[in-house]
Amino acid sequence: MNRIFSGVQPTGNLHLGNYLGAIRNWVALQRDYDCVFCIVDLHALTLPQRRDELRANTREVAAAYIAAGIDPDRCIIFNQAAVSGHSELAWLLGCITPLGWLNRMTQFKEKAGRHRDNAGLGLYAYPVLMAADILLYKATHVPVGEDQKQHLELARDIAGAFNRQYETEFFPLPEPQILGEATRVMSLRDGRVKMSKSDPSEYSRINMTDDADTIALKVRKAKTDPDPLPHEVKGLENRPEAANLVSIYAALAETSREAVLAEFGGKMFSIFKPALSDLAVARLGPIGQEMSHLLKDRGLIDGILHKGSERANEIARHHMAELHDIVGILRP
Ligand code: TYM
């Protein structure tokens, strides 16, 4: 059976981009794939985290998965550090990954900024750990937002390099699944930059836990331009904020941008924004409420993660044993 692996970092501020670019798509895919959904705490540690926040954020991502509709009985939900195979395989893969491949990673360049020499080794090796996440389960498909495309190409290259080096076909080459109308949700304050957890402005993003009033306020304050919406998608060119809001609407309504413009083309933002805000509240409101409900029951969340890590470990241990044989590691 085809297997899906994907993950979210527990770094707080889960937002509409995480939902529309990733989590929402997983909900639909769980029917047709064997699914492993991870909370990638080791990846979060590539930048400084406070321990209490890391723990709380890990539970929050788990709650978001479940509240969004991922069934923990059908899918494996767990936190990465609970399965030691991730770090172990990352080492094996790191040994065959040329530095030149890592030097091309744009996300490292963005996150390390101008002080590259001060960036941690973990941040540099981030994409190797990500390849290990996927390959540890021999996942065939990886549903993510567009910003992860380069990392996935690297994961495929690493899988291919390993298979060639050891003359095996052990790893499938994982396929990215970049789905829906909002594969790259942009900031509500600037349509040229990605909506992100680390943007200092709360008004740049809609969080999955925002209440109705907050969502309405953020949509109302979202940057726009003075023109009415165009009748055709072509008319969104060079109008990044308008393009972003139309894509968000289309994704939330599970329709196309064409259909949204057929309804709102020629109308002003004063008409479109309240409609968008109502739609966002209708879609996100129940998820946010369910998240806070779930988060009141730590035992429940921890139990789901514990069970998930046992199931994940079972697959991981089996694959690691095979990998030890392939690589030539003695298991006395
Ligand atoms: P992270 O935590 O940054 O993001 C989680 C998921 O949300 C998507 N996403 C977006 N999609 C659309 N618009 C946006 N503005 C937006 N921002 C984030 C991301 O593409 C991602 O799918 N490296 C990954 C975590 C990871 C992973 C993996 C993913 C670690 N190992 C293995 C897949 C497979 C990341 O940073 O996600």
Side-chain angles (χ1 to χ4, degrees):
M1 187 177 185
N2 285 329
R3 178 174 283 153
I4 276 179
F5 182 96
S6 199
V8 173
Q9 294 190 68
T11 40
N13 295 335
L14 276 180
H15 55 70
L16 189 63
N18 300 128
Y19 179 62
L20 294 177
I23 302 172
R24 208 261 313 255
N25 299 325
W26 306 352
V27 178
L29 293 164
Q30 69 184 328
R31 274 180 267 122
D32 302 320
Y33 293 82
D34 175 13
C35 289
V36 185
F37 296 124
C38 190
I39 300 139
V40 290
D41 45 11
L42 296 175
H43 276 110
L45 289 170
T46 56
L47 292 174
Q49 304 294 332
R50 294 181 44 170
R51 71 172 80 84
D52 288 344
E53 283 178 9
L54 181 62
R55 274 192 281 263
N57 289 336
T58 301
R59 291 192 178 105
E60 184 180 72
V61 177
Y65 289 0
I66 300 161
I70 291 165
D71 176 356
D73 291 324
R74 192 192 279 255
C75 308
I76 297 180
I77 299 178
F78 74 108
N79 62 310
Q80 188 185 27
V83 177
S84 59
H86 290 257
S87 327
E88 216 182 320
L89 181 56
W91 181 262
L92 297 184
L93 299 179
C95 292
I96 60 154
T97 305
L99 292 186
W101 292 4
L102 294 178
N103 290 338
R104 288 203 292 271
M105 296 295 111
T106 51
Q107 198 152 309
F108 173 76
K109 290 181 200 163
E110 279 162 26
K111 288 197 177 168
R114 275 180 290 133
H115 306 287
R116 268 180 82 149
D117 285 354
N118 292 336
L121 175 61
L123 193 63
Y124 191 62
Y126 181 113
V128 179
L129 179 60
M130 182 163 158
D133 296 339
I134 299 163
L135 300 176
L136 183 59
Y137 302 92
K138 297 203 199 186
T140 51
H141 293 82
V142 187
V144 284
E146 202 181 276
D147 60 340
Q148 297 302 311
K149 206 168 157 197
Q150 194 186 34
H151 285 158
L152 281 180
E153 279 159 13
L154 183 78
R156 285 170 67 88
D157 288 345
I158 293 177
F162 183 95
N163 287 348
R164 271 193 307 283
Q165 171 144 343
Y166 290 102
E167 296 174 319
T168 167
E169 288 181 8
F170 188 76
F171 290 130
L173 301 189
E175 291 280 346
Q177 290 175 309
I178 297 172
L179 305 167
E181 289 283 359
T183 56
R184 187 175 178 82
V185 177
M186 308 308 275
S187 158
L188 299 182
R189 307 300 288 165
D190 180 348
R192 291 160 307 176
V193 305
K194 198 178 62 170
M195 184 177 285
S196 98
K197 296 175 192 147
S198 55
D199 194 314
S201 168
E202 271 294 323
Y203 289 101
S204 69
R205 67 183 157 260
I206 293 175
N207 290 329
M208 286 181 73
T209 47
D210 281 345
D211 60 23
D213 289 347
T214 311
I215 294 176
L217 179 67
K218 287 177 176 177
V219 172
R220 207 161 52 239
K221 283 187 165 265
K223 187 177 167 199
T224 48
D225 56 42
D227 296 332
L229 284 168
H231 290 278
E232 287 176 23
V233 171
K234 214 163 33 133
L236 292 170
E237 271 169 34
N238 302 320
R239 295 181 66 186
E241 285 82 18
N244 188 36
L245 296 185
V246 168
S247 297
I248 291 174
Y249 191 103
L252 284 171
E254 298 187 53
T255 182
S256 63
R257 289 179 304 165
E258 285 79 3
V260 177
L261 293 179
E263 190 178 346
F264 291 99
K267 300 214 166 88
M268 301 304 286
F269 282 103
S270 54
I271 308 269
F272 181 63
K273 276 183 164 182
L276 175 59
S277 142
D278 287 349
L279 179 62
V281 169
R283 292 289 190 271
L284 292 180
I287 299 176
Q289 279 166 17
E290 180 62 11
M291 279 174 73
S292 42
H293 177 69
L294 286 166
L295 285 167
K296 290 200 182 94
D297 192 347
R298 265 197 203 178
L300 177 78
I301 301 268
D302 290 5
I304 288 170
L305 291 175
H306 181 75
K307 190 166 140 229
S309 66
E310 280 183 345
R311 288 165 69 194
N313 246 315
E314 212 172 287
I315 306 171
R317 258 199 311 272
H318 184 67
H319 288 166
M320 279 315 297
E322 289 181 292
L323 282 161
H324 284 173
D325 283 345
I326 292 172
V327 172
I329 288 172
L330 186 68
R331 287 187 292 128

